[in-house]
Every structure is written in C-alpha cells, then in structure tokens.
Amino acid sequence: MAAVRVRQHQQHVQQPITPPSPQPTIIRRKKTNQKFEKTMLIILIGMIAVLSVLVLNKQAAIQTTSMDIQKIEAEADEIAKQNVDLTVRVSELSTYENIWKKAKELGLTQNEKNVKVVPGE
C-alpha cells in the first residue's frame, strides 16, 4: 500500500496546480429604448442647428442696422456742417453794409420820412 500512496503522491506532484481561470464578467445593460434615444439626439441636433441659424440671422440684422446708423450719423454730421456754414453766410450777408449795397443795386433809396421805428428790438 505504501507503493500505491507514493504513486498517488507522485501523480499529485506531477500535475501542476492551476488556479481556476476567471470567467469573463459579463456586464448586462438594461435594455433601453434605442429608437427613442436616437430620435431625441436627432431632435437635439436639429434644435441646435435651428438656433444657430437664428443667431446668425439676428447678428446679420444687427450688423445691417449698425451700418445704417453709421450712415445716418454721417449724414447728420454733414448737415450740421452745412447748417454752420449757412449760419455764417447769413450773418455775413445780414450786415448793414451788405443790405445797403444790395438795396442800391435794386434801385432803392432811403426815404427818411417813410422810416418807422419799432420799439422793443
């Protein structure tokens, strides 16, 4: 019997002890409604695209309005310059000497009897 035990012992020694191989862990996902997720993703992308177009449209409108404002301001500045020039010209032409010269050119004479003095000015 001792020989049988030695033989059994040798058989145990000859066979390498292999640890049990770990089985791959399978992660199970909950079943989700993939069609719903895809639909929601498409809707989200569509909304982002529409909002982007709206933002660009508003930016273009703002730019156009800004350019119109600049043109109007330039026109207002030009008109203000013209008003200043015309005011200076009116004050130059309103002098007594210029009025008297123009009156003589038109054949008018000064009649002292026909002059009326207006009080208050």
Side-chain angles (χ1 to χ4, degrees), residues 7-105:
R7 210 177 224 185
Q8 286 177 350
H9 182 63
Q10 287 177 353
Q11 285 178 353
H12 276 297
V13 172
Q14 289 176 355
Q15 293 178 353
I17 301 173
T18 58
S21 63
Q23 295 198 357
T25 56
I26 299 174
I27 301 173
R28 296 187 182 212
R29 289 179 58 184
K30 288 183 178 178
K31 286 188 175 181
T32 59
N33 193 347
Q34 292 181 353
K35 287 184 180 180
F36 176 74
E37 289 177 356
K38 288 179 182 179
T39 304
M40 291 305 290
L41 182 63
I42 290 172
I43 289 172
L44 178 66
I45 291 172
M47 287 174 50
I48 290 172
V50 168
L51 291 175
S52 298
V53 169
L54 288 175
V55 167
L56 290 175
N57 187 21
K58 291 298 177 185
Q59 288 293 332
I62 289 170
Q63 184 68 23
T64 303
T65 305
S66 177
M67 289 172 48
D68 291 343
I69 289 171
Q70 288 177 354
K71 286 179 185 176
I72 291 171
E73 286 176 346
E75 290 174 4
D77 290 342
E78 184 64 30
I79 290 172
K81 287 178 186 177
Q82 289 176 357
N83 284 343
V84 169
D85 292 343
L86 291 174
T87 303
V88 170
R89 187 163 180 213
V90 165
S91 64
E92 288 174 354
L93 293 175
S94 297
T95 61
Y96 180 76
E97 292 84 21
N98 282 336
I99 292 174
W100 184 244
K101 182 179 171 183
K102 189 66 174 175
K104 283 185 180 180
E105 286 175 7

